Amino acid sequence: MNLKITLVTLFVAFNFSFLLAQEGVVRGTITDENGIYVPGASVMIEELKKGTVTNFDGEFTLLEIPEGTYELSVQYLGYQTILKEVKVEASKTVSMKLLLNTTETTLGTVQITGRGLSAQARALNLQKNKTNITNIVSTEQIGKFPDANIGDVAKRIPGITMQVDQGEARNIIVRGLAPQLNSVTLNGSRIPSAEGDNRNIQMDLIPSDMIQTIEVSKAVTPDMDADALGGAVNLITRSAPEGFRLSATAGSGINFITNKRILNGAFLIGDRTKDGKFGFMLSASINDNDFGSDNVEADWTDKFEYNAGDPDNLEKVGVNPFVEKFEIRKYLVQRVRRSFSANFDYRFNDNNSIYFKSMYNWRDDRENRFALTSEILDSEDIEEGDFEVTNGNLTRFPAEITRETKGGTPGGRIKNRRLEDQRMQNYTLGGNHIFGNLKLDWMGSYAKASEERPNERYVVYASEYQVNNHVSNSRKPLHTALGNPDLSGFELDELTEEYQYTEEEDINVFVNAELPSDFFGNGDGIIKFGVRGRFKNKYRDNNFFEYEPIASSGLNIESLANINTRNYNGNDFLAGKQYIPGAFASPKFLGNLDLHNSNLFKSEAIQDEYLSENFEVKENVYAAYAMTNQKLTDKLNILAGVRVEATKIESTGNEVIYNEEGDFDGSMEVTDKSDYVNILPSIHFKYDLNEKTVLRFAWTNTLSRPNYLDLVPYYAINNEDEEIVVGNTELNPTTSMNFDFMAEYYFNSVGLLSGGVFYKDINDFVYTYVVEDVVSGYKVFQPLNGDKASIYGAEISFQQQLNFLPGFAKNFSLYANYTYLHSTANGIRNEDGDERGELDLPGSSPNMFNASLSYADKKLSVRLSANFSDAYLDELGGNAFEDRYYDEQFFLDFNVNYAINKNLTLYGSLNNITNQPLRYYQGVSSRTMQMEYYERRLTLGIKYDLY
């Protein structure tokens, strides 16, 4: 006991010595003439070799400054150095407010075309002064108002590509690693996922005008969460300004696929009290988009059997690959995106401040889907003469044809459509404090994401007839009816209503402490350490009911010919006029069915449709780290440390039981636990070759935890699709050892040329193993850990105003970046249990390219932007034939802004000029699996800014 008391006493005495240190502190805030914070400025007292960099709020702190009078210098890329005298007294904090005035400090080579410091200057200064390898982009830097959501902005950053949903960028892929392998935070607080079975963050949920800066760390430091295999994306909202700020935006437009309107509006207002202590920033945004898509889907097979008289011994026929299931889908979508943010801070004194930041995102996604599906009959139902094979091509066969309408109940917010109500909210309370030479910051946050889909209805009418299988152009697969079947042949097959709810809650707490240190006698350095806890709970609660009309009810809905229908021809179908969706039950008819009236319908809960998908996962992560950032020489800086993360998981799922006939026979709840510890060292070197050139090297270790549903102990049989899906509670986290080298050259005229290489050595990556069950013949899907994977690649980036050109041409600017990737994955087994050899790691696009050419003068700015990502393996099948690939994408966008005066700007944009479809292919690029078209979008509007 005495030993414990002695150790505690020594510890307190050691730390208290820092609190009583006889040095002073210099703190300050740097803004431009509009009161906008200046991040990334280098602040230095040359005499002491003491320096730091302003944060996103333009703040800097210099600790352990001896008494005396010094000259403080502020350096900012593209601007003249500011020199200010500062007098330091022992045990006191000197507070300063510095102004970086563009009219006085701009270097002659910089062309100022807007108010205050350019967004590009802020981003590049931050990036230049970061120790780790980072891309920092202001949303305004990309080009004003070309992108509605933050995902479309992010796709223009080097090494990033996006997966789209209904034409909007949703899931982020960083350096070829799948969305669930990257972390996304809001102001440093983890964003939860509203997706039901994975960790993907819905980037299209967050409007671009609610975010000030995107920070992508491709080499994480020990004080950051380690679960960022590809990278860590931090979205930073606007803080309270130093002076009054008001901004408002209003616009409209048209979606050419539906010829329906787009509405958007946003505003922000912020100010600070006269004494400078209390500040606030309030903002809101709304985007109402009425659009849709035209979709074709195809499942291919190279196996064909028929009943030659013995259903237990089917006859096999060798055929070329053909489409066994074909769909034409017409989507009508209304997407209403709302976002609200309220940020406050209070400065008690020069050494203590607290802040509160919040954001609430709410998106209603209303959808009707009309799907025409033709699928080859089961082999035992096909007899000789029912099909035709010509030159190895199966050109005709009998199929089940269905016409399905997706909708919802009438009135309210649902409006006869499927309503997907997605919400994400985040509330953060934090503080920054100085106790002598000790800097302390802390944060606690609560975040929640949810997705609710109430009263989602489907009605299916089915028929059987012969179809022609058109295989001459595999990029444009097609089934057509043999003859001219009418609607009277389509009988009611299925009528369902379901409810889906998914929720994820995150509680985050952390404390960081920082002390000045000087291990190598170069006058500058820190020791930083801290702890963090993250407590996550995710669950999904679905149900599913089938309804059947009661014979005595008098309802006349058994035939598609007897009900109200909606018809679509192929004249304006974007995939081609040969695709004719045809007639479907109208959404109004489906919505008006009184399914819950027991005199009209009898209902049955189909538990095997949803029980296996219901789960709950509790995941607690406890982390601690220690690191140091030291100057080895005047030019060479080292950041080294270690992070330890302990993970505890408890998961609950349902094992669904079936009888010998394959019918549902009950269920059993199953719970399992797992835990593991990861020790993750890292080291970063930053070498300032000269004032313009920076070299960086990093060795880091990161991890990725498996998707939630993969960890759930469940077992489910889908008799309709002849599939068995099994969870795996024994999955290990994926880990990666990463090496990065980057060279950067910064132009005086606020530009950048950079290039680098990287390598990732990955262990225990997760993939879905597909095998055939020997008893049922069903396909079994189970997540497993592969052996090893690796990724190596290179990045090059260039952005520069072309001010060396003569005349008006000097107002042109070029922004371009290119990323190359090569990946290999080992330990993946095919459906026979044999290793498949080296494969690409799913999600790794080998080539990514962004470019934009812009023109800007004092009034007009115009930008043409291009985004390209190469095809890549998206999902592994049981063999190479079944592998699914995400096809290459090329997007072209145009936007223009015209400043009427210093406060009022007109803007316009034309998105998706190339009418780029979302396309998947199966096995080979010519074999289309899905193609979905969205058409172009035009928006026009006006923005008002008052500083």
Side-chain angles (χ1 to χ4, degrees):
M1 187 68 178
N2 290 334
L3 177 60
K4 289 183 179 179
I5 294 174
T6 302
L7 290 174
V8 170
T9 302
L10 288 173
F11 177 79
V12 172
F14 174 76
N15 285 281
F16 197 68
S17 67
F18 288 105
L19 307 185
L20 297 179
Q22 293 304 301
E23 293 89 359
V25 176
V26 178
R27 298 198 72 182
T29 303
I30 303 177
T31 62
D32 66 12
E33 64 265 39
N34 294 314
I36 305 299
Y37 297 121
V38 176
S42 179
V43 182
M44 192 79 181
I45 298 177
E46 293 288 351
E47 182 179 346
L48 302 176
K49 296 183 179 179
K50 284 275 190 179
T52 188
V53 177
T54 55
N55 62 18
F56 286 100
D57 295 330
E59 299 171 339
F60 66 90
T61 303
L62 294 170
L63 300 173
E64 213 174 35
I65 308 298
E67 281 190 296
T69 301
Y70 305 96
E71 188 174 66
L72 186 80
S73 68
V74 178
Q75 293 183 332
Y76 202 70
L77 180 68
Y79 299 85
Q80 301 284 6
T81 299
I82 298 176
L83 300 176
K84 293 289 183 180
E85 185 179 279
V86 57
K87 185 177 181 180
V88 180
E89 297 181 25
S91 302
K92 291 186 177 181
T93 297
V94 180
S95 182
M96 308 178 68
K97 288 189 177 181
L98 302 177
L99 178 67
L100 193 60
N101 192 317
T102 57
T103 59
E104 297 174 359
T105 61
T106 307
L107 296 178
T109 53
V110 177
Q111 176 76 20
I112 296 296
T113 58
R115 300 176 301 275
L117 301 174
S118 71
Q120 183 181 9
R122 299 177 196 276
L124 289 183
N125 274 278
L126 269 170
Q127 185 170 317
K128 179 176 183 287
N129 289 307
K130 282 279 187 178
T131 301
N132 63 323
I133 296 172
T134 309
N135 289 111
I136 297 175
V137 177
S138 164
T139 52
E140 295 177 4
Q141 176 190 352
I142 301 296
K144 293 183 179 179
F145 317 108
D147 302 311
N149 72 70
I150 206 65
D152 282 315
V153 176
K155 73 185 181 185
R156 308 186 192 280
I157 299 174
I160 288 181
T161 186
M162 301 294 297
Q163 295 175 336
V164 301
D165 175 73
Q166 289 296 343
E168 292 189 327
R170 167 168 284 193
N171 298 319
I172 188 167
I173 295 175
V174 182
R175 284 183 166 178
L177 289 168
Q180 66 269 21
L181 304 181
N182 307 298
S183 73
V184 183
T185 56
L186 182 68
N187 298 316
S189 176
R190 198 60 176 262
I191 297 178
S193 170
E195 294 283 351
D197 55 359
N198 57 51
R199 298 175 184 267
N200 298 353
I201 305 302
Q202 297 74 44
M203 302 288 280
D204 59 348
L205 189 59
I206 304 173
S208 58
D209 47 19
M210 298 294 287
I211 301 300
Q212 177 174 281
T213 307
I214 304 174
E215 179 185 28
V216 181
S217 296
K218 296 175 179 175
V220 299
T221 53
D223 56 346
M224 300 170 64
D225 285 338
D227 52 344
L229 237 69
V233 181
N234 187 27
L235 309 177
I236 301 163
T237 58
R238 294 177 174 87
S239 299
E242 287 299 303
F244 181 73
R245 171 86 192 275
L246 173 67
S247 178
T249 302
S252 186
I254 187 171
N255 288 291
F256 291 112
I257 190 170
T258 57
N259 290 323
K260 291 189 176 181
R261 87 292 182 272
I262 301 169
L263 297 174
N264 65 276
F267 88 92
L268 66 86
I269 184 170
D271 202 357
R272 187 168 294 279
T273 55
K274 289 183 178 180
D275 61 8
K277 289 191 172 185
F278 176 72
F280 71 92
M281 176 69 83
L282 305 176
S283 57
S285 171
I286 185 168
N287 180 269
D288 188 345
N289 199 357
D290 211 328
F291 60 113
S293 61
D294 294 341
N295 176 284
V296 173
E297 298 190 15
D299 291 342
W300 295 76
T301 185
D302 55 0
K303 299 179 177 65
F304 176 69
E305 299 176 330
Y306 71 97
N307 184 355
D310 182 3
D312 295 325
N313 188 18
L314 299 174
E315 186 76 20
K316 296 182 179 179
V317 180
V319 294
N320 297 323
F322 70 97
V323 176
E324 61 177 343
K325 183 177 180 181
F326 175 77
E327 293 186 73
I328 301 174
R329 296 183 174 189
K330 179 74 176 180
Y331 289 87
L332 297 176
V333 180
Q334 182 192 18
R335 183 166 289 175
V336 184
R337 183 189 296 111
R338 318 166 190 85
S339 188
F340 311 92
S341 177
N343 297 336
F344 308 94
D345 66 71
Y346 188 80
R347 301 166 181 170
F348 294 96
N349 51 46
D350 291 336
N351 292 336
N352 297 279
S353 64
I354 60 171
Y355 61 87
F356 174 81
K357 295 187 176 184
S358 64
M359 177 175 280
Y360 191 98
N361 296 299
W362 177 15
R363 189 184 73 185
D364 281 348
D365 193 278
R366 299 183 183 91
E367 179 184 290
N368 288 129
R369 186 187 72 194
F370 307 95
L372 170 64
T373 304
S374 56
E375 183 173 10
I376 191 169
L377 296 183
D378 292 338
S379 297
E380 56 267 26
D381 296 326
I382 302 176
E383 299 179 354
E384 194 166 0
D386 289 344
F387 62 92
E388 185 176 291
V389 178
T390 304
N391 298 324
N393 294 321
L394 183 63
T395 57
R396 177 178 60 83
F397 53 76
E400 180 184 40
I401 315 300
T402 61
R403 294 184 176 275
E404 177 191 72
T405 299
K406 176 201 288 188
T409 53
R413 292 173 47 232
I414 298 179
K415 302 177 181 177
N416 292 318
R417 289 181 161 186
R418 185 275 289 140
L419 172 65
E420 183 181 83
D421 181 338
Q422 278 195 348
R423 307 190 188 201
M424 189 278 288
Q425 49 193 305
N426 184 292
Y427 309 97
T428 300
L429 180 66
N432 296 281
H433 310 276
I434 296 177
F435 304 102
N437 288 327
L438 174 68
K439 281 177 64 178
L440 187 75
D441 69 274
W442 56 273
M443 187 196 76
S445 71
Y446 171 80
K448 176 182 173 181
S450 64
E451 179 182 285
E452 183 177 20
R453 295 165 69 158
N455 304 111
E456 183 172 341
R457 291 185 171 186
Y458 295 84
V459 62
V460 179
Y461 284 85
S463 182
E464 288 185 11
Y465 49 76
Q466 292 274 327
V467 298
N468 294 313
N469 180 39
H470 301 271
V471 293
S472 58
N473 182 1
S474 59
R475 292 188 68 91
K476 294 279 189 177
L478 178 63
H479 284 182
T480 57
L482 190 65
N484 188 26
D486 58 35
L487 296 185
S488 61
F490 284 85
E491 297 180 349
L492 180 64
D493 181 63
E494 193 174 71
L495 179 59
T496 65
E497 183 176 284
E498 59 186 291
Y499 173 84
Q500 299 182 28
Y501 183 76
T502 302
E503 179 180 288
E504 180 177 323
E505 289 184 304
D506 262 20
I507 296 176
N508 284 268
V509 292
F510 70 68
V511 178
N512 298 312
E514 183 180 312
L515 291 166
S517 65
D518 186 11
F519 292 160
F520 302 99
N522 290 301
D524 206 3
I526 62 148
I527 296 173
K528 189 177 181 181
F529 51 92
V531 294
R532 183 165 196 154
R534 192 171 80 228
F535 311 100
K536 183 187 296 290
N537 186 73
K538 180 147 192 169
Y539 74 90
R540 182 162 63 184
D541 182 19
N542 296 350
N543 63 35
F544 186 95
F545 289 86
E546 275 191 1
Y547 296 86
E548 184 179 338
I550 295 174
S552 60
S553 66
L555 291 172
N556 186 18
I557 63 172
E558 294 295 337
S559 169
L560 189 59
N562 297 333
I563 66 169
N564 184 25
T565 58
R566 180 177 291 186
N567 189 72
Y568 293 96
N569 59 42
N571 292 338
D572 58 354
F573 201 81
L574 294 177
K577 63 181 181 180
Q578 68 270 34
Y579 299 109
I580 304 173
F584 304 88
S586 72
K588 185 176 181 180
F589 159 79
L590 177 58
N592 286 334
L593 291 176
D594 191 2
L595 297 181
H596 304 293
N597 186 337
S598 58
N599 294 319
L600 299 178
F601 296 92
K602 72 176 180 180
S603 64
E604 180 184 2
I606 311 299
Q607 297 184 65
D608 54 323
E609 285 283 347
Y610 64 87
L611 268 182
S612 61
E613 296 184 354
N614 291 345
F615 67 88
E616 183 173 12
V617 176
K618 297 178 180 179
E619 180 182 270
N620 295 336
V621 178
Y622 306 89
Y625 74 92
M627 58 181 265
T628 183
N629 193 344
Q630 300 287 325
K631 272 195 172 183
L632 298 179
T633 68
D634 286 343
K635 294 186 175 183
L636 181 61
N637 197 84
I638 183 174
L639 187 157
V642 64
R643 185 179 184 89
V644 179
E645 292 197 354
T647 306
K648 295 182 180 294
I649 299 172
E650 180 179 331
S651 56
T652 301
N654 295 292
E655 184 174 312
V656 181
I657 303 168
Y658 298 82
N659 60 27
E660 293 181 357
E661 285 75 35
D663 298 323
F664 176 74
D665 197 28
S667 65
M668 180 173 61
E669 189 174 270
V670 184
T671 298
D672 206 346
K673 297 180 180 181
S674 62
D675 60 82
Y676 48 86
V677 176
N678 296 94
I679 300 174
L680 306 155
S682 63
I683 189 167
H684 302 254
F685 291 98
K686 178 175 179 278
Y687 184 75
D688 296 312
L689 190 63
N690 52 50
E691 289 186 357
K692 299 179 182 179
T693 308
V694 180
L695 305 178
R696 306 178 195 270
F697 172 80
W699 168 65
T700 57
N701 289 273
T702 51
L703 64 92
S704 174
R705 298 175 178 90
N707 282 327
Y708 304 109
L709 191 59
D710 293 345
L711 292 167
V712 174
Y714 75 99
Y715 184 91
I717 300 176
N718 186 324
N719 290 304
E720 182 179 356
D721 296 331
E722 298 186 345
E723 295 176 351
I724 301 173
V725 184
V726 187
N728 185 356
T729 60
E730 302 300 319
L731 283 174
N732 295 321
T734 303
T735 58
S736 178
M737 182 183 293
N738 317 294
F739 299 91
D740 294 83
F741 174 78
M742 184 70 66
E744 301 165 350
Y745 180 82
Y746 292 86
F747 301 105
N748 278 337
S749 51
V750 192
L752 169 68
L753 173 64
S754 68
V757 294
F758 55 89
Y759 174 80
K760 295 179 179 292
D761 184 18
I762 301 170
N763 288 299
D764 288 327
F765 67 92
V766 178
Y767 75 102
T768 301
Y769 176 46
V770 184
V771 67
E772 186 173 298
D773 181 63
V774 294
V775 177
S776 65
Y778 287 11
K779 284 187 175 181
V780 180
F781 296 80
Q782 184 178 33
L784 294 179
N785 286 114
D787 294 338
K788 284 182 171 291
S790 64
I791 291 179
Y792 65 81
E795 292 179 356
I796 187 168
S797 179
F798 174 82
Q799 51 182 297
Q800 177 65 37
Q801 183 180 327
L802 307 181
N803 50 13
F804 53 84
L805 296 177
F808 77 95
K810 67 182 179 182
N811 294 328
F812 281 98
S813 295
L814 181 64
Y815 174 93
N817 58 70
Y818 168 75
T819 303
Y820 168 78
L821 284 177
H822 178 78
S823 68
T824 57
N826 297 304
I828 297 174
R829 291 180 289 162
N830 63 20
E831 58 191 2
D832 298 321
D834 301 323
E835 284 201 24
R836 293 182 58 182
E838 288 191 351
L839 293 169
D840 291 342
L841 190 67
S844 54
S845 174
N847 296 285
M848 290 169 280
F849 176 73
N850 287 288
S852 71
L853 179 65
S854 62
Y855 173 89
D857 58 28
K858 292 182 179 180
K859 292 282 189 180
L860 178 69
S861 66
V862 181
R863 183 184 294 266
L864 183 67
S865 304
N867 174 270
F868 171 81
S869 59
D870 212 344
Y872 59 85
L873 177 63
D874 178 67
E875 187 176 286
L876 289 162
N879 52 51
F881 181 83
E882 296 176 352
D883 290 345
R884 185 176 78 171
Y885 289 81
Y886 196 103
D887 202 5
E888 64 182 34
Q889 298 181 116
F890 179 73
F891 294 97
L892 194 63
D893 303 313
F894 173 81
N895 64 288
V896 58
N897 297 272
Y898 181 78
I900 298 174
N901 54 47
K902 63 176 293 187
N903 301 119
L904 205 60
T905 303
L906 299 175
Y907 69 88
S909 64
L910 181 63
N911 291 74
N912 193 25
I913 296 172
T914 55
N915 189 23
Q916 173 64 53
L918 164 69
R919 183 176 183 268
Y920 291 93
Y921 61 85
Q922 185 177 320
V924 296
S925 61
S926 61
R927 196 177 295 143
T928 294
M929 201 173 186
Q930 179 181 350
M931 51 182 177
E932 185 169 88
Y933 290 81
Y934 312 106
E935 252 290 2
R936 299 162 185 85
R937 299 189 304 275
L938 175 68
T939 56
L940 300 168
I942 188 168
K943 180 173 182 179
Y944 177 79
D945 260 319
L946 178 64
Y947 295 90

